[in-house]
Amino acid sequence: MIRSELIQKIADENPHLFQRDVERIVNTIFDEITEAMARGDRVELRGFGAFSVKGRDARTGRNPRTGESVDVEEKHVPFFKTGKLLRDRLNGLEG
């Protein structure tokens, strides 16, 4: 599902809301999650999962084509850990 499909589904299920308002709500939620993670905060959505940021140390990698050593800088990457309810539903268990 992509963002526009999510917006359309929410708008369809809530006919009392204008689509532009649904779009603003969805964008605000994603923006807030992004901003929190950029600050290094953890974002937890109970039953769904938790978003956090993990740091990766600088290291020496290899160019797969040439085999040449390449320095890879330290970086931060997003990480998502599923909640129990989501894991159970994915595995066919009711939660």
Side-chain angles (χ1 to χ4, degrees):
M1 175 178 283
I2 60 175
R3 184 185 301 229
S4 60
E5 292 171 339
L6 175 63
I7 291 167
Q8 189 61 52
K9 182 165 180 57
I10 293 171
D12 291 346
E13 291 178 3
N14 295 279
H16 61 284
L17 296 174
F18 292 111
Q19 181 153 346
R20 68 177 181 268
D21 294 334
V22 173
E23 187 172 348
R24 190 176 307 130
I25 291 166
V26 170
N27 289 338
T28 299
I29 291 169
F30 288 148
D31 290 345
E32 288 300 315
I33 291 172
T34 302
E35 288 299 316
M37 291 177 67
R39 289 190 307 267
D41 294 342
R42 181 174 184 266
V43 178
E44 182 177 336
L45 304 172
R46 295 280 168 140
F48 183 70
F51 298 92
S52 60
V53 178
K54 292 197 174 202
R56 290 198 181 157
D57 294 333
R59 61 184 174 81
T60 301
R62 295 221 175 268
N63 181 327
R65 284 191 186 169
T66 64
E68 179 183 339
S69 292
V70 178
D71 289 329
V72 179
E73 295 180 9
E74 172 186 6
K75 61 182 168 182
H76 295 89
V77 294
F79 179 75
F80 178 73
K81 181 177 180 184
T82 58
K84 184 178 183 327
L85 181 62
L86 177 58
R87 261 192 321 274
D88 288 350
R89 292 218 36 206
L90 292 175
N91 289 303
L93 306 172
E94 291 300 318

